[in-house]
Amino acid sequence: MGIVLGTPELLTGILEAALPKDQVSATVVCQAWNEQAVRVIWRDVPSVIPLLKLLALPGSMRKNSEGHWEYTSSIEYESWARLSLYGRYVHTLVQFRDGERATSAAYQAVAQAAMGRPAVLPNLRKIVWTLQDMSAASGLTILCSSSVRALELDMSLSPIATVLWVFRNLRGRIQNIRELSIGVPERMSVQNAEDSLSELLKELPKLESIELPMFWLSEKIMTALGSHEELKRLTQYPQGDHRVECNPRGCKLRFDSGSFPVLEQLECNMAL
C-alpha cells in the first residue's frame, strides 16, 4: 500500500475519485500528498470566484448590494504570487449562468494588476463561460490566452452589444484554439455579427471543430471557415425553441471550390 500511495500517478487517480473534503484533507498528510492533492483540487475550477479570492487580502473581498463580488482594496504583489502558485494547475474553468459573479471593477483590478505579467492561468486549456453582462465579458477576455484549446460561450442572455464586443476583443487572444462553440441571443441575426465573427475566425488557423447557431452559416462566415486547413467538424444547432420559417426544399450553403480541405463531419439540424 505504501508503494501505491507513494506513486504520483496512482495517488492522483485515488484523489480524483475522492470527495472534495477528502482531497482537502490530503493536502496536510505530507509534502508529496500535498502536491498531488493541490493539482487535483485546482485542475477543474467550477467558478472564477475562488481564483479572484486568491488575489484578495483577508477581508478585502465582499459582495455588493447586488450579490456580486468586489474588491475593497488594491491587489498586492504577495496576492499575485499566491494566484500564480495555484493558477498554474488550472486546466478547465467553468462559469455557469447561476454561478457567483464578480463586478466589472473587480475584473478591471485584475487586468491592471496583470499588466506586464505572464498569463493569469498559463496552463488553462478549456473555458466554459456564460456571459450575461459586460463584467463577465471583460473577465473572459482577461483570462483567455494562447494556452486555451477549447472555448464554449453561452451568450444567449447577453445584449447584442456585448456579443459584438466579445468577438472583437477575443482577437489576438485565442489563436491556438481547436474547439469553439457559440451560443447567442435568439433575436440576434447573423447580419448583426458576421463581420466581427468572420474577422475573429480568420485568426484561428488551428481550429478543428466549431458549433454555431441556426442560420449562422452565412456566405461570409462560410468563406472565413472554408480556408481553415485543420477544420474537421462543423455543427449547426437549433437556436432556441422557436419555429423558423424557411424554404421547405432546403437552404443553400455556398462556399468556394477547394474550401474545407479536411472536413470530415457536417451536422445541420435543418433541411439542405
Side-chain angles (χ1 to χ4, degrees), residues 160-199:
I160 294 176
T162 300
V163 175
L164 298 178
W165 187 92
V166 169
F167 288 159
R168 289 193 298 268
N169 285 273
L170 283 179
R171 295 181 60 185
R173 297 177 182 270
I174 55 173
Q175 61 269 30
N176 292 322
I177 201 165
R178 267 68 167 178
E179 301 175 14
L180 179 62
S181 176
I182 299 175
V184 297
E186 292 183 23
R187 63 189 180 279
M188 187 174 185
S189 68
V190 66
Q191 287 76 22
N192 294 124
E194 61 179 354
D195 289 337
S196 298
L197 180 56
S198 296
E199 292 303 315

Side-chain angles (χ1 to χ4, degrees), residues 12 19 22 43 47 54 74 97 118-119 163 187 213 230 237 240 246 248 255 269 272:
T12 296
L19 296 173
D22 296 325
R43 186 178 58 194
S47 169
L54 288 174
S74 60
R97 180 176 304 178
V163 175
R187 63 189 180 279
E230 299 186 29
Y237 60 86
C246 65
F255 48 89
N269 292 295
L272 295 177

Side-chain angles (χ1 to χ4, degrees), residues 36-222:
Q36 297 305 315
V38 168
R39 287 178 181 273
V40 171
I41 291 171
W42 286 99
R43 186 178 58 194
D44 301 321
V45 182
S47 169
V48 72
I49 301 303
L51 293 170
L52 298 182
K53 286 183 177 180
L54 288 174
L55 292 172
L57 295 173
S60 66
M61 196 173 188
R62 66 185 182 189
K63 287 185 177 180
N64 63 13
S65 58
E66 297 179 347
H68 300 165
W69 288 94
E70 62 181 5
Y71 293 112
T72 58
S73 63
S74 60
I75 297 174
E76 304 294 336
Y77 173 82
E78 294 78 8
S79 300
W80 193 268
R82 185 165 57 246
L83 175 62
S84 300
L85 175 64
Y86 295 105
R88 59 183 171 151
Y89 298 123
V90 180
H91 283 195
T92 303
L93 177 59
V94 178
Q95 184 68 25
F96 288 125
R97 180 176 304 178
D98 56 352
E100 292 186 303
R101 295 155 64 185
T103 62
S104 295
Y107 286 119
Q108 290 170 3
V110 175
Q112 184 175 3
M115 293 182 62
R117 302 180 186 273
V120 179
L121 306 175
N123 298 309
L124 184 62
R125 293 294 182 267
K126 181 177 181 179
I127 299 178
V128 180
W129 201 267
T130 299
L131 293 101
Q132 295 174 295
D133 50 33
M134 281 302 298
S135 64
S138 60
L140 172 69
T141 56
I142 292 169
L143 296 170
C144 277
S145 69
S146 59
S147 68
V148 177
R149 299 295 184 268
L151 177 60
E152 297 180 17
L153 293 178
D154 178 4
M155 299 185 285
S156 57
L157 298 180
S158 302
I160 294 176
T162 300
V163 175
L164 298 178
W165 187 92
V166 169
F167 288 159
R168 289 193 298 268
N169 285 273
L170 283 179
R171 295 181 60 185
R173 297 177 182 270
I174 55 173
Q175 61 269 30
N176 292 322
I177 201 165
R178 267 68 167 178
E179 301 175 14
L180 179 62
S181 176
I182 299 175
V184 297
E186 292 183 23
R187 63 189 180 279
M188 187 174 185
S189 68
V190 66
Q191 287 76 22
N192 294 124
E194 61 179 354
D195 289 337
S196 298
L197 180 56
S198 296
E199 292 303 315
L200 172 62
L201 294 174
K202 291 176 183 178
E203 298 184 0
L204 310 180
K206 299 181 180 180
L207 190 65
E208 297 178 0
S209 174
I210 186 169
E211 296 184 1
L212 293 170
M214 181 177 285
F215 301 121
W216 265 51
L217 301 182
S218 70
E219 185 172 349
K220 183 172 290 189
I221 292 178
M222 292 294 283

Side-chain angles (χ1 to χ4, degrees), residues 225-229 255-262:
L225 289 172
S227 61
H228 284 66
E229 298 181 353
F255 48 89
D256 297 333
S257 176
S259 298
F260 304 100
V262 297

